Amino acid sequence: MQRLLFPPLKALVGSPCLRLLVPRAAPRSQCGCSCGIRRSLRPGQYSTVSEVTLQSGRGTVSLPSKAAERVVGRWLLVCSGTVAGAVILGGVTRLTESGLSMVDWHLIKEMKPPTSQEEWETEFQKYQQFPEFKILNHDMTLAEFKFIWYMEYSHRMWGRLVGLAYILPAAYFWRKGWLSRGMKGRVLALCGLVCFQGLLGWFMVKSGLEEKPDSHDIPRVSQYRLAAHLGSALVLYCASLWTSLSLLLPQHKLPETRQLLWLRRCAHGTAGLVFLTALSGAFVAGLDAGLVYNSFPKMGESWIPEDLFTFSPILKNVFENPTMVQFDHRILGITSVTAVTVLYFLSRRISLPRRTKMAAATLLALAYTQVGLGISTLLMYVPTPLAATHQSGSLALLSVALWLMSELRRVPK
């Protein structure tokens, strides 16, 4: 038999080299044809072996499918981690009002930060030509500018790291034949979404650099574009994490009862609520709505504030009225934690594997922790460390919701 030794995977997944055995074509004197004869594998050698094709007399093989799934699953798990880091860093950048410090966008050129005093002065002068400096930071020093510039620079460089983490391994796995037909489509969609996310980020920043002569408000990016930027990042994160969990976690063969069906539907609905609550946080951040009413459970002296519908038309209040935006975020948060509680007690009524019960209990604990962080952030007038922790908590909550969904997914027949 011929032996093909693939490159070591230790650098990717920490496992030793994998060896693949290529079946040898039978001699023509025996069968009169050039077809290949596959020899049976030793029991336990591979769980499944992907199809071997012969082209132009040369055999091309792909990694055993189960081993390939583990490699791809771990890669996507790492990718989802890099996306989570970008979301958290982006939140801190927004909280420190650093997002408008870099007024240009160049894919390669801006990767080198200023090094000399002259270069820093030039960069500072560019910033001084835009509304944020003129209206909000007109007394800012160069040292203060360097801080916000490095915050935005870190976020942009991390975004490029995310792109490399997706695109380079994807190209390698594709070339090696480790991606199934269905996985190729998913990987293409994920890589395309990464590129779209970068363009959407600059489109968002541009909205905060525009001159608005008729407005006396603090310069900020459009809350619509901020929500779109965060939403696409959350979609990328969820898609990567879900695919990773589907490849890495073995499925439970649960009896398809009516109770399980309701639990599965409740898990999907709860995950959707958590996603929507996190997305509504982008409107809170974009309008600084967390500084409007810093009391709980009431908003000021009433349960429903009087300035809830001050904008016309009424629908405009949902996305542009800071009071309504904060009110909506509160309602969504309370609804989400209620749904998580119901989901937990439903899971207690069904005989589930230990790992699934752990996912449900973890989701419940994180939900109430997130509520506590949100209330504390509100009452303390949105301090940056606490607000960043609250934003990170939404990602953790979303991750565990996806974990539970993966535990309850239907086993294909």
Side-chain angles (χ1 to χ4, degrees), residues 67-275:
E69 285 181 358
R70 287 193 295 271
V71 173
V72 174
R74 290 171 183 172
W75 161 57
L76 289 176
L77 187 62
V78 171
C79 286
S80 63
T82 61
V83 175
V87 172
I88 294 170
L89 187 56
V92 175
T93 302
R94 175 68 189 90
L95 288 166
T96 55
E97 298 181 343
S98 306
L100 300 178
S101 57
M102 295 180 70
V103 297
D104 296 319
W105 192 89
H106 302 285
L107 184 62
I108 303 298
K109 183 181 177 181
E110 72 179 20
M111 293 181 69
K112 180 181 178 296
T115 53
S116 65
Q117 183 69 17
E118 183 180 355
E119 290 177 349
W120 274 115
E121 290 288 352
T122 302
E123 196 70 27
F124 193 27
Q125 288 172 7
K126 290 181 183 178
Y127 175 68
Q128 292 173 357
Q129 299 172 13
F130 289 89
E132 186 175 70
F133 177 82
K134 296 176 181 178
I135 299 174
L136 185 64
N137 295 331
H138 51 83
D139 56 349
M140 175 176 280
T141 64
L142 180 60
E144 293 170 334
F145 171 73
K146 286 182 179 181
F147 171 78
I148 64 171
W149 192 93
Y150 271 121
M151 286 298 304
E152 174 64 9
Y153 174 79
S154 301
H155 183 51
R156 294 195 186 188
M157 292 304 105
W158 190 272
R160 284 160 175 75
L161 177 64
V162 172
L164 293 176
Y166 275 92
I167 295 172
L168 294 183
Y172 178 79
F173 295 152
W174 192 301
R175 183 173 179 272
K176 291 295 183 181
W178 296 356
L179 302 176
S180 64
R181 179 178 297 180
M183 190 57 62
K184 285 181 179 179
R186 291 192 185 189
V187 167
L188 277 178
L190 291 174
C191 292
L193 189 54
V194 168
C195 298
F196 173 73
Q197 177 70 1
L199 295 174
L200 191 56
W202 173 240
F203 181 64
M204 176 193 69
V205 170
K206 282 185 66 177
S207 65
L209 300 176
E210 297 170 354
E211 295 279 357
K212 299 175 182 178
D214 299 332
S215 176
H216 300 284
D217 198 5
I218 296 174
R220 56 168 65 97
V221 299
S222 165
Q223 69 271 24
Y224 296 103
R225 299 187 190 184
L226 177 61
H229 187 50
L230 175 62
S232 62
L234 292 179
V235 169
L236 178 64
Y237 174 75
C238 291
S240 302
L241 184 59
W242 173 259
T243 305
S244 173
L245 294 176
S246 301
L247 293 174
L248 295 177
L249 291 181
Q251 291 182 264
H252 299 298
K253 294 182 179 180
L254 303 173
E256 290 293 330
T257 62
R258 180 172 295 182
Q259 286 180 318
L260 179 63
L261 179 61
W262 276 105
L263 183 63
R264 188 180 289 138
R265 289 176 177 174
C266 187
H268 283 73
T270 301
L273 271 173
V274 172
F275 183 94

Side-chain angles (χ1 to χ4, degrees), residues 347-413:
S347 70
R348 298 280 292 177
R349 300 174 60 183
I350 305 176
S351 179
L352 295 172
R354 181 173 178 270
R355 197 178 67 199
T356 309
K357 290 182 178 180
M358 186 182 300
T362 305
L363 185 65
L364 182 71
L366 277 178
Y368 281 93
T369 301
Q370 181 69 350
V371 169
L373 286 170
I375 294 173
S376 301
T377 302
L378 189 68
L379 297 179
M380 298 178 68
Y381 290 87
V382 197
T384 298
L386 196 56
T389 305
H390 179 56
Q391 292 176 355
S392 304
S394 64
L395 272 179
L397 192 61
L398 191 56
S399 303
V400 179
L402 290 172
W403 173 26
L404 182 58
M405 285 173 55
S406 179
E407 293 287 330
L408 297 172
R409 70 188 188 274
R410 191 189 302 272
V411 178
K413 296 180 180 180

